[in-house]
Amino acid sequence: MKALKHIPILVFCLLLLQCGPDPTISETSDSENATLRQFQQLDGRHQLHITDNDEPGEKLLVCATLVNKANKDYLPNQKVRFYHTNNEGDYEPVDNGDESSARLSGDAYTNMEGRIYIETILPGDYGSSENNRHIHTSVFGAKPEAYDINFNQYTGTMGRNFINGSDQHFLADLKRAKDSTLVCFITIEVKNPNTDSASD
């Protein structure tokens, strides 16, 4: 009978585990490694090095592709800003009223296939919440401009439900390259891109 009293607690604990994110990170496949090399060979204008080797945190390589949500066409020569928190979850903005002025930020342009390659770190959790690590993306001239990259391994059930109901938030699956560096591949579908501003 005593064992039966603990069943509700056990069920509650199991439910809590199901609500949390799955921290499993698999290794990149051969095809993903080939795609990563393609991104790493992009011209300098299509690459963004947000952090250097001295930045605290786990190194992260982001292979982002931007497409038009309406027709899935690539968005070439599109100016994009990326910014995020440091390893401790602080934006450290230059302008206290503007998170996009975060210390860890920068701009790059997509190539003809909508691609941008980013070297940075895995952002820390923001504020007092856990499992909310993300990278902000601003697509200049689009309406709206703001899109977020979230990570499967750091997104709980509530966050996942929110993202599933939004067309401005995207989930990326973190992988590990052979040298253990984190890698993610993400396609961002941009609503109402301004193709005139893409040539700025």
Side-chain angles (χ1 to χ4, degrees), residues 46-61:
H46 313 305
Q47 292 198 27
L48 177 59
H49 299 264
I50 294 177
T51 59
D52 58 28
N53 291 332
D54 296 328
E55 184 69 33
E58 194 165 6
K59 186 173 181 181
L60 171 65
L61 310 179

Side-chain angles (χ1 to χ4, degrees), residues 98-116:
D98 182 8
E99 286 180 352
S100 69
S101 69
R103 179 177 66 83
L104 299 183
S105 64
D107 302 342
Y109 287 82
T110 58
N111 74 349
M112 295 305 292
E113 295 177 322
R115 290 181 166 188
I116 291 178

Side-chain angles (χ1 to χ4, degrees), residues 3 7 27 41 47 56 72 79 86 95 99 127 141 147 196 198:
I7 289 177
E27 200 171 289
Q41 292 168 3
Q47 292 198 27
K72 306 302 186 277
K79 185 179 180 182
N86 64 17
D95 177 352
E99 286 180 352
Y147 298 88
D196 293 334

